[in-house]
Amino acid sequence: MARTRFTRAHAEGLAGDGLVTVSLAGSLFFTVTVASARPRVALYLVLTMAPFVVVAPLVGPAVDRVLRGRRVLLAATALGRGALALLMARDRHRLLLYPEAFGVLVLGKASAVVRNAVVPALVRAGGSLVETNARLARVGLLAGTAAGLVGAGAVRVVDARASLVLAAAAYLVAAATALRVPLPRARAQEGEATADRGAVAPANVALAGTAMGVVRGAGGFLTFLLAFSLKRSHAPSWFDGLVLGGAAVGALLGTLAAPRLRRHVREEAMVLSGLGALALAALAAGLARGRWPLVAVGLVVGVATGGGRLAFDSIVQRDAPELARGRLFARYETRFQLAWVLGALIPVVVPIGATPGLAALGIVLLVLTGSAAAALRRAPPADRVRTERA
């Protein structure tokens, strides 16, 4: 019952996010020239970091301090987003729209931190964290995509306000569902501290987090390297959509493959496998030249990012102290977003061709994959024992 209601609340919240995203969709990139797009995209990338100024120092510690009522936190983040969506519908042509949209982003990230922190309480005896995380990811992806399509239809038939009103309704339903999730009270384990030292990441978490940060940075780099390359070459818009669609399909494949892969290898190996696959795909596409290998690169980016993130979340949920998970998830969420932004800024600021960019990225990632694998083999014995559990 708890898992079913939690999954429903998760899907309903992400449906609201999809509707808000559609309502805010604009002409940031594809309707302007390359020269005009670069400063716009650079500003957008910097602004995407803004919510994490709040999430890392405030939300993470708040989640760890709330020993009871984490379902209330989930409900509050959904209810807050619903109220802001209604205000956005009212202020669609006012400057107030921007701080209201910022509030939706902050509460969305806060909801993700709370969700990741409580997932272990929903895993059945003998169950797999990777499988539970994968199921939530698939449900969220499908719910967000379906809601986005509905929102796009509402915007076309009515206007953006219709999508925002639908988002508010989805958030309200998500809040009501979250309040009915019977989550157990968080409890301190023997010898566990709730002070800041309790939020120190175990060695294997830090290693997996670094590898996942590299994957995210590479994903940001590839996203805008390919986008500007295709724009310069005047590729048809349907091909842009094909590359983006390949990444979305790859993310879905990653959530499907991760639970099966976990039966054979540890989560740490899953993260490194994604990094290595991305390195080989980038290098092969750089050597192959042409447009069609870019679709394969997009697919691999989706698989590496989707599957690797599931594995990393499971490592934190498995090995981090329960009363430090909120801070660790908030901290790494911030680092991953920073890595993505820094990676994306490189091709935005510096004009780089697709072929040399892909080849250089492939070589760098191969070196980093080898270094990460060597570091994992040198991990302290205690961490190795912990990573080999279930």
Side-chain angles (χ1 to χ4, degrees), residues 277-330:
L278 189 53
L280 294 175
L283 188 58
L287 295 175
R289 300 174 181 268
R291 290 179 181 173
W292 287 103
L294 304 184
V295 179
V297 171
L299 183 71
V300 176
V301 168
V303 172
T305 303
R309 184 55 197 265
L310 293 177
F312 173 77
D313 288 349
S314 300
I315 293 170
V316 177
Q317 291 159 352
R318 182 194 66 198
D319 292 340
E322 184 174 6
L323 297 184
R325 286 186 197 137
R327 280 166 287 177
L328 288 175
F329 273 119

Side-chain angles (χ1 to χ4, degrees), residues 81-263:
R81 283 180 286 170
L84 288 170
L86 289 177
L87 292 175
M88 289 169 65
R90 183 197 65 183
D91 300 327
R92 195 162 57 94
H93 298 297
R94 301 177 185 176
L95 289 177
L96 286 173
L97 175 69
Y98 298 98
E100 290 161 358
F102 174 79
V104 170
L105 287 174
V106 170
L107 290 174
K109 297 301 180 184
S111 177
V113 170
V114 180
R115 181 177 66 245
N116 286 332
V118 302
V119 160
L122 305 172
V123 180
R124 295 170 181 167
S128 166
L129 283 166
V130 171
E131 184 176 353
T132 300
N133 285 316
R135 181 173 60 253
L136 289 172
R138 288 194 299 271
V139 170
L141 181 63
L142 294 174
T145 301
L149 293 174
V150 171
V155 170
R156 186 174 182 85
V157 174
V158 187
D159 57 25
R161 286 174 296 184
S163 182
L164 289 168
V165 171
L166 289 174
Y171 288 136
L172 181 61
V173 174
T177 304
L179 286 174
R180 299 171 57 208
V181 179
L183 292 176
R185 170 179 172 172
R187 60 191 181 278
Q189 299 169 354
E190 183 179 354
E192 179 183 320
T194 59
D196 288 341
R197 67 184 181 88
V200 175
N204 62 313
V205 172
L207 176 60
T210 300
M212 193 62 220
V214 173
V215 171
R216 288 280 287 155
F221 177 85
L222 286 170
T223 297
F224 288 94
L225 175 73
L226 301 185
F228 280 107
S229 175
L230 291 173
K231 192 171 182 65
R232 281 196 302 269
S233 65
H234 305 289
S237 57
W238 62 264
F239 193 85
D240 296 325
L242 193 61
V243 175
L244 293 174
V249 171
L252 181 59
L253 291 176
T255 65
L256 292 171
R260 294 172 174 80
L261 186 60
R262 176 58 188 89
R263 297 168 191 167

